[in-house]
Amino acid sequence: MHQSVLTALESGATLLTASHRLARHLLAEYGAHMERAGHAVWETPAILSWSEWLARCWELSPELATAHGRPVLLLTPFQAQALWERLIEESQADSLLQVPAAAQTAFEAWRLVQEWRLPLPRAADAPNEDVAAFAGWARAFEERCRKQHWLDGARLPEVLRE
């Protein structure tokens, strides 16, 4: 780890990483640095993945966590995955044999649509039945989240930006 990064962390800076794995690796590297410097104890630095940092911003912004006077729940990735599975099952997609795999793929597509700020395709305009199925599931996902006052991690950056 570069000395300027170590110095910044020691003075309380937050370091954002692309993944949880990289954050854990850098925390271990920081700990090794502190041990080599002769420290027996030290304050854990704020080395966070992008998604952890967004969740922390959400937690520190209680004014964002309400919609129409009702609390908004930030879904965990497990909860969002379970919701995608439920919506796919409810869609009566008989041709799907692997609902969890389809839900994972749809969840990833949803994340990419949100990251790139793309419009959702209309099922009627879809070039094939896979895109049409995704469009239907995505609209159902949006609707269920809106009705239940849920927010998924894929939409969190946009909500925080606003």
Side-chain angles (χ1 to χ4, degrees):
M1 193 178 306
H2 195 272
Q3 185 58 44
S4 63
V5 174
L6 291 169
T7 302
L9 289 171
E10 288 172 1
S11 65
T14 298
L15 177 61
L16 297 182
T17 67
S19 68
H20 297 293
R21 185 176 184 180
L22 181 56
R24 285 191 309 272
H25 170 76
L26 293 175
L27 276 169
E29 194 173 319
Y30 181 84
H33 162 75
M34 295 302 278
E35 286 177 350
R36 283 191 305 274
H39 297 281
V41 296
W42 56 87
E43 191 169 328
T44 302
I47 301 176
L48 306 169
S49 69
W50 173 248
S51 60
E52 290 170 326
W53 182 75
L54 289 171
R56 183 174 285 184
C57 289
W58 174 258
E59 291 167 5
L60 295 174
S61 304
E63 69 280 2
L64 297 176
T66 59
H68 311 297
R70 253 183 93 187
V72 175
L73 173 68
L74 180 61
L75 298 175
T76 66
F78 179 79
Q79 290 168 323
Q81 171 74 21
L83 178 56
W84 278 101
E85 288 180 20
R86 180 177 301 138
L87 293 170
I88 290 171
E89 287 171 351
E90 289 173 0
S91 74
Q92 300 299 320
D94 296 329
S95 62
L96 283 174
L97 301 175
Q98 301 289 329
V99 171
Q104 183 62 41
T105 302
F107 187 24
E108 179 63 18
W110 171 257
R111 187 186 61 75
L112 290 170
V113 165
Q114 299 307 311
E115 282 181 6
W116 288 92
R117 301 174 73 188
L118 300 172
L120 280 175
R122 289 178 0 133
D125 298 335
N128 60 51
E129 63 184 58
D130 290 341
V131 175
F134 170 71
W137 300 334
R139 299 233 187 273
F141 183 83
E142 277 184 321
E143 182 64 17
R144 184 78 52 96
C145 287
R146 185 185 63 73
K147 283 183 178 177
Q148 297 297 325
H149 297 277
W150 294 337
L151 177 65
D152 68 296
R155 289 182 300 145
L156 183 56
E158 184 64 18
V159 169
L160 292 172
R161 184 191 67 78
E162 290 174 359

